[in-house]
Amino acid sequence: MKKEYSETEIKIKNAAKSLFLERGYSATTTRDISRESDINLALLNYYFTSKKKLFEIIMLETFYDFISKMVEVYNDEKSSLEEKLKLTSSKYIDMIIEEPHLPTFVVNELKNNPSSILKILKGQIMESKLVDQYNDGVKKGIYKKIDSIHFVTNILSLIVFPFISSPIIVKMKKFNRKEFNEMMYERKKLIPEWILKMIKK
């Protein structure tokens, strides 16, 4: 059951999330969070006891939000594999454009707490309806037979990696942020097409 937070706790969490996403764990102090949330340090420590505890809450909630959009799409009973690919690409690109520090934050911090996150990935993604549809398509001779981990990894990589490497892309193409986002909107259509070309016989 999801914990209900008070207004003060929510204020602290929102400030902490903003700072953790932008700076990471090590570069963020409890004093930074206290200033950002306009809550005194003693009260912050009263509610969350330590920066580590607050970070663990933020990390798990952020990762859950990151994965839950995919899980919702991947386990839909009515949509086809092709429709799931389009929805995944569209939802994730919109989500990351809204919070551009999110992919780097998740990738950088995954190594610190892999066990609980791996349970989510294995149970919710690798056993999803999308993977079932892919495996069913392999049996019917529609798709090439590859380990489904490659299939899922390719989807995530094509969506997430350009955001992680955005500083290089922006400089290489001399893009401003608006032009980079336009490129990502274009990828909403391209990514499903590329994935289908990879897997179709």
Side-chain angles (χ1 to χ4, degrees):
M1 189 172 178
K2 196 170 181 180
K3 176 177 164 44
E4 291 293 324
Y5 291 98
S6 68
E7 285 185 22
T8 301
E9 288 173 304
I10 290 168
K11 197 174 179 182
I12 293 167
K13 282 177 60 201
N14 288 342
K17 181 178 179 180
S18 175
L19 291 169
F20 285 140
L21 283 175
E22 186 177 350
R23 303 178 186 178
Y25 177 79
S26 299
T28 301
T29 67
T30 50
R31 290 191 181 279
D32 294 330
I33 297 167
S34 174
R35 279 193 296 268
E36 183 76 13
S37 61
D38 197 26
I39 300 291
N40 73 62
L41 192 56
L43 199 55
L44 189 152
N45 289 328
Y46 169 76
Y47 280 116
F48 292 102
T49 66
S50 69
K51 181 178 84 166
K52 184 180 177 184
K53 177 70 175 174
L54 180 54
F55 180 79
E56 285 172 357
I57 293 167
I58 299 295
M59 179 63 199
L60 287 174
E61 287 184 0
T62 300
F63 190 79
Y64 179 79
D65 289 343
F66 188 71
I67 289 298
S68 64
K69 283 185 169 55
M70 185 188 294
V71 171
E72 182 185 342
V73 172
Y74 279 16
N75 286 304
D76 182 72
E77 293 286 337
K78 296 177 182 177
S79 59
S80 66
L81 181 142
E82 288 86 351
E83 288 168 333
K84 286 181 173 65
L85 291 175
K86 289 175 183 175
L87 278 169
T88 301
S89 178
S90 181
K91 282 193 172 190
Y92 261 95
I93 286 171
D94 285 344
M95 180 184 185
I96 301 172
I97 282 174
E98 196 171 314
E99 287 198 80
H101 297 295
L102 184 59
T104 305
F105 171 77
V106 171
V107 169
N108 285 344
E109 306 301 341
L110 268 178
K111 58 187 177 186
N112 296 322
N113 189 20
S115 56
S116 58
I117 288 164
L118 282 171
K119 284 180 187 175
I120 299 170
L121 284 173
K122 186 178 177 185
Q124 301 292 329
I125 304 300
M126 296 313 299
E127 297 171 13
S128 65
K129 182 66 178 173
L130 173 82
V131 173
D132 287 345
Q133 287 173 318
Y134 167 71
N135 289 330
D136 187 52
V138 170
K139 289 176 187 174
K140 291 176 179 175
I142 300 168
Y143 305 130
K144 298 171 189 172
K145 182 173 174 54
I146 56 169
D147 192 315
S148 53
I149 190 66
H150 290 301
F151 173 53
V152 172
T153 301
N154 283 343
I155 298 168
L156 272 174
S157 301
L158 284 168
I159 294 168
V160 173
F161 184 75
F163 286 101
I164 294 173
S165 60
S166 63
I168 298 169
I169 295 170
V170 165
K171 286 185 179 179
M172 187 169 58
K173 292 292 291 181
K174 297 180 180 176
F175 278 165
N176 57 36
R177 180 52 57 179
K178 183 173 180 288
E179 288 168 326
F180 174 79
N181 288 347
E182 284 170 358
M183 171 189 152
M184 297 311 298
Y185 288 133
E186 187 180 3
R187 287 177 70 85
K188 285 185 182 184
K189 181 182 176 184
L190 292 172
I191 290 169
E193 291 175 0
W194 290 335
I195 292 292
L196 289 171
K197 283 177 182 176
M198 286 182 203
I199 64 173
K200 277 191 174 177
K201 283 191 171 181

